[in-house]
Amino acid sequence: MNEKNNSLKRKLLPLILTVLVLVADQITKWLITEYIPPYTVGFNFFDGILRIIHVYNTGAAFSMGDSLSEIFRIALLGVLPLVVLILVMVVYFRSNDFTYFQRWAGK
């Protein structure tokens, strides 16, 4: 039973880190929407090399899908990734074939 608990802990650790990163991402997005006016530079770092700017993106990465209808965008950018994520999680937890490094690299 102890071996099974250790295996579960090894599987959960990369997922916990992933969740923490996602939570931090959402908190920073919320802070930007609350405290930086739209389409303005909120902060400059390293002499303007890195800037925090409040912009909107209605699509996915680089506004891909922003011209799609709302229902198709929800299906393509919301439901489909969720289905794929569920399938990946099923394989991830059912398989013991992944090495320690593969479990971390998959994140």
Side-chain angles (χ1 to χ4, degrees), residues 53-92:
I53 304 171
H54 182 172
V55 296
Y56 294 98
N57 181 4
T58 58
F62 311 110
S63 294
M64 292 183 340
D66 66 340
S67 62
L68 298 174
S69 69
E70 185 71 20
I71 190 71
F72 194 66
R73 186 176 32 216
I74 289 170
L76 187 64
L77 303 176
V79 176
L80 182 62
L82 186 60
V83 169
V84 170
L85 180 64
I86 290 169
L87 291 173
V88 168
M89 290 290 98
V90 167
V91 170
Y92 179 83

Side-chain angles (χ1 to χ4, degrees), residues 8 11-12 15 81-98 103 107:
L8 182 61
K11 289 178 180 179
L12 286 177
L15 295 176
L82 186 60
V83 169
V84 170
L85 180 64
I86 290 169
L87 291 173
V88 168
M89 290 290 98
V90 167
V91 170
Y92 179 83
F93 280 105
R94 285 192 175 179
S95 175
N96 289 321
D97 296 333
F98 295 113
R103 291 198 184 278
K107 302 295 158 227

